[in-house]
Amino acid sequence: MTETLEPMADEVNQLELAQQLLAQAKEQGIELMGPNGLLGQLTKNVLETALDAEMTEHLGYEKNDPAGRGSGNSLGRHQIEDGAHRDRPGRDRRPAG
């Protein structure tokens, strides 16, 4: 993705936002670094949000949107007659013939 975002009408003051996040983390006893630290959580949330947005753009519909049903973008599960689900064998596992 090579496009850049255009400036927002109400530009976010990034320094002020960072200071608010740090103050809130300090109040709640959250460390800055470490496995459950603010930086790790923030990085995880930003990356997940960006990846979700990119996947939505690529597929043309939101996650869990009914528009995606039957489109072939599944995890390889399908419903059988009794209503249960089972995994389909991979293409290289199907019998020849």
Side-chain angles (χ1 to χ4, degrees):
M1 181 175 226
T2 58
E3 297 176 30
T4 58
L5 296 175
E6 294 184 26
M8 298 184 335
D10 297 324
E11 223 174 283
V12 175
N13 183 334
Q14 293 179 11
L15 179 58
E16 185 178 316
L17 181 59
Q19 290 169 342
Q20 290 174 359
L21 284 171
L22 287 172
Q24 186 177 1
K26 187 175 181 178
E27 287 173 9
Q28 296 177 6
I30 298 173
E31 295 180 16
L32 181 60
M33 305 291 276
N36 295 320
L38 176 65
L39 288 177
Q41 292 176 17
L42 187 59
T43 301
K44 177 183 179 288
N45 288 330
V46 168
L47 288 175
E48 286 178 355
T49 302
L51 290 171
D52 284 345
E54 186 151 336
M55 186 61 79
T56 297
E57 182 179 330
H58 175 73
L59 295 175
Y61 55 86
E62 296 282 334
K63 185 176 184 179
N64 300 321
D65 189 327
R69 292 193 184 132
S71 66
N73 293 324
S74 70
L75 296 176
R77 294 173 58 92
H78 66 284
Q79 195 167 357
I80 54 179
E81 288 179 20
D82 64 0
H85 289 85
R86 67 180 169 115
D87 291 332
R88 278 189 243 147
R91 288 186 291 178
D92 62 338
R93 306 275 191 251
R94 291 186 184 149

